[in-house]
Amino acid sequence: MKKIAVYCVNYNSYDELRSFFNSVEIAASEAKDVAIVTLFIADNTEANVQSISSLKSMYMEVKIYEFHENLGYFGAVQRMMKDSEPTGYDFAIISNVDLSVGNNLFLTLANKHYEKGTGWIAPTIFSKIEHRDRNPKICKRYSLRKLKLLLTMYRFPVLHVLYTRTMYKRKILQKHDAGKIYAGHGSFIILCKYFIEKCGVPSYPIFLFGEELYLAEKCRENKLAVLYDPSIIVYDSEHVSTGKMKGLKYYKYNKAALQYIIKQFYPSSNS
């Protein structure tokens, strides 16, 4: 039996959380003969809090952390992981709640045999709005020049608006085969046990954004592979939590993320 942990983070998205919960429960029931699933839920909601204690399942263990303070995405994940010994799982999944998992997700994952040294699996994340797979997020490692260009874009929001209206739209037409990539999309991350064993619990200190780059660099440092596997399917309902964020905060957090990544993983930039 494979052991699978799912760490999800809610921020004022209770309807989406319940929908996500139901999809995970169905997938756990489909895989009950081959996988033991544990769902960890962090509630970062600070105001207008709703009770989620009624979220119980026959097919998986459910653990709820009612933080009721906004710890950020990986901030909440880190707290849950430190309380749950993720090294005991074959896969540790990190997820937003504005998506749903395919009915056969855990069944497919439990029957896979990834080679030793695989740190991160990037599944199909099908966007219901863009009608495309959001993976692979990044095929090749960004150069320092590319990161500095992105940083400039977030410093001057008008450049970001132009990007989303032009170059970003080209991604809809891109198709990719399964195989090794640099980074998957951060909304649904499947970490293999080799990642936790080599890298430990992710300790990314940034409030939001840049998680993909951080995990990719940790895999790179520890010689772990990142694999795009389109046979594992998730359906994305699009940016529910981040969509509520005011524009200035969006650019502020993205700038902080890129500045951290450059400082930590591109040492030539610090000379």
Side-chain angles (χ1 to χ4, degrees), residues 106-125:
F106 299 132
L107 185 63
T108 303
L109 193 58
N111 287 319
K112 289 279 185 173
H113 298 284
Y114 297 108
E115 64 181 62
K116 188 174 182 179
T118 301
W120 175 7
I121 307 300
T124 291
I125 303 178

Side-chain angles (χ1 to χ4, degrees), residues 37-265:
V37 179
T38 304
L39 176 63
F40 300 87
I41 305 171
D43 191 0
N44 279 357
T45 309
E46 300 165 292
N48 301 315
V49 172
Q50 298 180 24
S51 173
I52 55 175
S53 59
S54 62
L55 295 176
K56 301 181 186 301
S57 172
M58 294 175 56
Y59 302 102
M60 60 186 178
E61 185 177 3
V62 180
K63 296 186 178 182
I64 297 173
Y65 295 82
E66 296 181 295
F67 295 134
H68 298 320
E69 60 175 309
N70 198 351
L71 303 171
Y73 187 22
F74 268 36
V77 169
Q78 184 177 352
R79 279 205 191 179
M80 289 190 290
M81 282 191 170
K82 285 185 175 180
D83 188 60
S84 60
E85 298 183 7
T87 51
Y89 296 94
D90 295 288
F91 300 99
I93 295 171
I94 300 171
S95 178
N96 291 328
V97 298
D98 56 342
L99 44 75
S100 59
V101 306
N103 291 354
N104 293 326
L105 185 139
F106 299 132
L107 185 63
T108 303
L109 193 58
N111 287 319
K112 289 279 185 173
H113 298 284
Y114 297 108
E115 64 181 62
K116 188 174 182 179
T118 301
W120 175 7
I121 307 300
T124 291
I125 303 178
F126 184 77
S127 167
K128 295 180 180 179
I129 291 179
E130 296 182 353
H131 302 287
R132 71 174 182 94
D133 185 357
R134 299 178 71 84
N135 268 324
K137 173 76 172 183
I138 307 171
C139 291
K140 295 182 179 180
R141 187 182 191 237
Y142 287 160
S143 66
L144 178 58
R145 181 175 178 273
K146 168 79 170 181
L147 289 176
K148 287 183 174 180
L149 285 172
L150 290 172
L151 188 57
T152 300
M153 184 175 68
Y154 288 118
R155 282 178 173 149
F156 301 96
V158 65
L159 297 178
H160 180 258
V161 173
L162 289 172
Y163 168 76
T164 57
R165 291 178 179 176
T166 55
M167 294 183 65
Y168 177 78
K169 289 187 175 182
R170 296 178 188 174
K171 293 183 177 182
I172 296 174
L173 304 175
Q174 295 177 358
K175 303 292 182 182
H176 299 278
D177 295 327
K180 291 185 180 180
I181 60 172
Y182 172 68
H185 197 278
S187 61
F188 195 89
I189 298 160
I190 305 173
L191 297 179
C192 301
K193 68 183 305 179
Y194 305 116
F195 181 95
I196 303 297
E197 290 173 352
K198 288 273 191 179
C199 309
V201 170
S203 56
Y204 184 55
I206 302 302
F207 182 76
L208 193 62
F209 302 124
E211 298 88 1
E212 301 102 332
L213 296 173
Y214 168 79
L215 293 176
E217 287 299 313
K218 297 302 289 185
C219 285
R220 183 173 179 270
E221 282 184 343
N222 291 277
K223 296 180 172 55
L224 296 173
V226 182
L227 295 183
Y228 169 52
D229 185 349
S231 70
I232 300 170
I233 302 174
V234 175
Y235 301 93
D236 190 356
S237 299
E238 306 295 327
H239 314 302
V240 169
S241 296
T242 57
K244 297 173 182 176
M245 185 183 299
K246 292 181 180 179
L248 290 178
K249 287 186 177 180
Y250 173 83
Y251 293 108
K252 173 186 174 182
Y253 295 143
N254 269 292
K255 283 190 294 183
L258 287 174
Q259 287 168 341
Y260 175 84
I261 295 297
I262 290 171
K263 182 177 180 181
Q264 288 295 120
F265 302 111

